């Protein structure tokens, strides 16, 4: 069975961009592939954070993913720092990665601008750790949103460099996209993200979600209610595509283009269909919060399985790179 690997940072609230660009798709892939999903806590350390909150955020990220449908009986879910080989492989990959490749990464440039006073080496090295995450499990596919494509391309480059320099042991993994790989924020302009505070949280109360939707930017060229709109220019329509059935989408397309349907009514329809999907997720999350035993057990099992895989792959990596194994000395 081909293997899928992906990860999410425990940076606080999981938002509908994460869900529609990644998690919902991860759930769909579970039965087709050997899926390994990771809470990437080392990645989350590259920007300022509160140490006292981190362990709760890690558990909560796992909990929300399970509530979204990642059944830990049918896939592997684990925490990156529970498998130390991730950082070991990062070091080896650092030695085949030109610094210029890292300086060119869009995410690095954006984050370096956002956190001008905290541009640490980890922020620059972030994509190399991501490559190590993926290649440590020799994954074939990486389901991510559009914003992560450049990092997966670099991963392929790193695999190629390692294979040429040492031994051909790594596959070149490919990106998989969900039908909605890029969700814009409430401003309808920039990517939905926690750091820009333009997001809808998966578990926010319904009245808060409605208030955010009600004021979200739609097709900017539709100024008056009587102006015809264009759904393909509208972020609300993109989100509709992920939550609403096809007959509703058709109704919206014609209603919007003929100005028969106003933006607020369109948002009401979205809210209704969105809540049909989000309500059961919220209920599962609440019940897991009352008893998080299943979450903890999933992470223990996940770490055990991943450590085994990682141990074997690292033996192969060290040997290909010409290092001296301890058991070969005696
Ligand atoms: P993170 O936590 O920033 O994002 C997790 C996933 O959510 C997707 N995503 C979006 N998709 C569509 N629209 C949006 N507005 C949106 N915002 C976020 C991201 O593309 C991602 O798939 N660097 C990774 C974490 C990572 C990783 C890995 C991923 C670390 N190691 C190995 C894959 C394989 C990240 O962006 O996490």
């Amino acid at each position: 069975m081909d293997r899928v690997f992906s990860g999410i940072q425990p940076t606080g609230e999981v938002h509908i961009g994460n869900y529609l660009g990644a998690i919902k798709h991860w759930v769909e892939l579970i039965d087709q592939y050997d899926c390994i999903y990771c809470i990437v806590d080392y990645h989350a350390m590259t920007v300022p954070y509160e140490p006292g909150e981190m362990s709760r955020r890690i558990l909560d990220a796992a909990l929300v993913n399970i509530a979204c449908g990642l059944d830990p009986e049918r896939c592997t879910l684990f925490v990156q720092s529970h498998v130390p080989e991730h950082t070991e492989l990062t070091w080896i990959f650092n030695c085949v990665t030109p610094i210029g490749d890292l300086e060119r990464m869009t995410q690095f440039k954006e984050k370096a601008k956002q956190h001008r006073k905290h541009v640490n080496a980890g922020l620059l090295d972030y994509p190399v750790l991501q490559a190590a995450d993926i290649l440590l499990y020799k994954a074939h596919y990486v389901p991510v949103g559009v914003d992560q494509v450049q990092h997966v391309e670099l991963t392929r480059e790193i695999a190629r460099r390692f294979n040429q320099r040492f031994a051909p042991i790594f596959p070149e993994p490919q990106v998989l996209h969900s039908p909605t790989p890029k969700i814009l924020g409430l401003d309808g302009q920039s990517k939905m993200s926690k750091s820009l505070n333009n997001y809808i949280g998966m578990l926010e109360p319904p009245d808060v979600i409605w208030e955010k939707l009600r004021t979200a930017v739609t097709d900017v060229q539709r100024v008056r209610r009587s102006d015809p709109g264009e759904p393909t220019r509208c972020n609300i329509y993109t989100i509709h595509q992920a939550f609403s059935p096809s007959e509703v989408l058709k109704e919206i397309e014609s209603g919007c283009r003929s100005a028969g349907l106003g933006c607020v009514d369109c948002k009401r329809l979205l809210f209704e269909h969105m809540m049909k999907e989000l309500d059961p997720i919220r209920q599962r999350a609440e019940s897991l919060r009352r008893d998080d035993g299943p979450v903890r057990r999933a992470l223990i099992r996940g770490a055990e399985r991943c450590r085994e895989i990682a141990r074997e792959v690292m033996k192969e990596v060290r040997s290909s790179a010409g290092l001296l194994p301890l058991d070969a000395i005696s």
Side-chain angles (χ1 to χ4, degrees):
M1 214 186 207
D2 279 350
R3 184 169 284 161
V4 156
F5 184 98
S6 201
I8 184 163
Q9 299 185 73
T11 38
E13 242 175 312
V14 174
H15 55 70
I16 63 163
N18 299 130
Y19 179 65
L20 301 181
I23 304 169
K24 186 173 173 173
H25 192 207
W26 297 356
V27 175
E28 289 160 8
L29 298 171
I30 285 183
D31 293 322
Q32 288 172 56
Y33 298 100
D34 171 14
C35 293
I36 303 182
Y37 299 122
C38 183
I39 310 300
V40 291
D41 49 353
Y42 282 154
H43 279 105
M45 290 177 68
T46 57
V47 294
Y49 71 98
E50 189 50 60
E53 286 175 8
M54 187 55 124
S55 63
R56 187 195 50 76
R57 276 177 16 195
I58 293 169
L59 260 185
D60 206 60
L63 185 150
V64 176
N65 275 277
I66 294 175
C68 287
L70 271 198
D71 176 0
E73 300 293 328
R74 288 150 58 225
C75 68
T76 300
L77 181 65
F78 78 108
V79 176
Q80 188 183 36
S81 65
H82 294 171
V83 183
E85 284 86 350
H86 285 247
T87 44
E88 187 181 356
L89 186 56
T90 300
W91 179 257
I92 293 180
F93 284 166
N94 276 340
C95 301
V96 296
T97 306
I99 280 201
D101 284 10
L102 303 179
E103 286 167 339
R104 271 196 294 280
M105 292 290 115
T106 310
Q107 185 177 297
F108 169 68
K109 288 193 267 188
E110 281 172 7
K111 291 233 172 125
K113 227 188 265 170
Q114 245 175 46
H115 303 279
R116 257 179 230 286
K117 294 202 178 109
H118 305 274
V119 186
N120 56 65
L123 198 59
L124 181 68
D125 211 29
Y126 181 115
V128 182
L129 177 58
Q130 182 160 348
D133 295 341
I134 298 166
L135 296 173
L136 188 54
Y137 303 95
K138 299 190 176 178
H140 304 92
Y141 298 105
V142 187
V144 283
V146 165
D147 61 325
Q148 292 303 306
V149 169
Q150 202 182 33
H151 287 170
V152 181
E153 274 165 9
L154 183 73
T155 300
R156 293 163 61 84
E157 189 71 33
I158 290 175
R160 220 172 293 140
R161 286 217 183 88
F162 182 98
N163 289 348
Q164 276 166 7
R165 169 107 177 76
F166 299 119
I169 64 173
F170 292 117
E172 286 181 33
Q174 288 171 35
V175 165
L176 289 181
H177 277 324
S178 76
T180 45
K182 184 175 182 184
I183 301 294
L184 300 180
L186 300 169
D187 53 6
Q189 276 184 345
S190 36
K191 187 189 85 162
M192 181 176 285
S193 83
K194 183 86 204 307
S195 55
L196 295 176
N197 196 17
N198 63 359
Y199 67 94
I200 294 178
M202 287 295 290
L203 305 177
E204 287 191 288
D207 56 329
V208 174
I209 294 187
W210 169 245
E211 200 43 37
K212 286 188 173 182
L213 271 185
R214 196 183 62 76
T215 50
V217 174
T218 54
D219 172 6
V220 281
Q221 292 182 33
R222 188 176 186 190
V223 182
R224 286 175 300 266
R225 166 70 179 78
S226 54
D227 292 342
E230 177 45 52
T232 53
R233 276 198 305 255
C234 178
N235 188 38
I236 292 297
Y237 180 71
T238 308
I239 304 176
H240 255 299
Q241 286 176 308
F243 287 113
S244 304
S246 55
E247 60 279 10
V248 174
L249 296 180
K250 281 196 201 111
E251 198 184 305
I252 291 166
E253 281 167 29
S254 59
C256 177
R257 289 195 177 112
S258 64
L261 181 74
C263 291
V264 176
D265 290 331
C266 177
K267 288 171 171 178
R268 258 191 215 109
L269 278 172
L270 173 58
F271 180 65
E272 184 192 315
H273 291 287
M274 210 168 142
M275 292 331 276
K276 272 192 200 150
E277 197 160 323
L278 298 194
D279 277 340
I281 294 175
R282 188 198 334 277
Q283 281 158 19
R284 279 199 294 274
E286 279 166 9
S287 118
L288 287 169
R289 284 207 171 115
R290 283 192 294 275
D291 170 18
D292 67 2
V295 181
R296 290 171 188 270
R297 285 192 290 277
L299 294 179
I300 293 170
R301 269 202 319 276
E304 279 165 2
R305 172 164 192 241
C306 290
R307 279 182 175 188
E308 260 171 47
I309 302 173
R311 195 183 315 123
E312 291 310 309
V313 174
M314 276 316 294
K315 269 191 209 156
E316 212 182 342
V317 169
R318 286 190 221 102
S319 150
S320 310
L323 302 176
L324 174 67
L326 180 58
D327 56 12
I329 297 180
S330 56

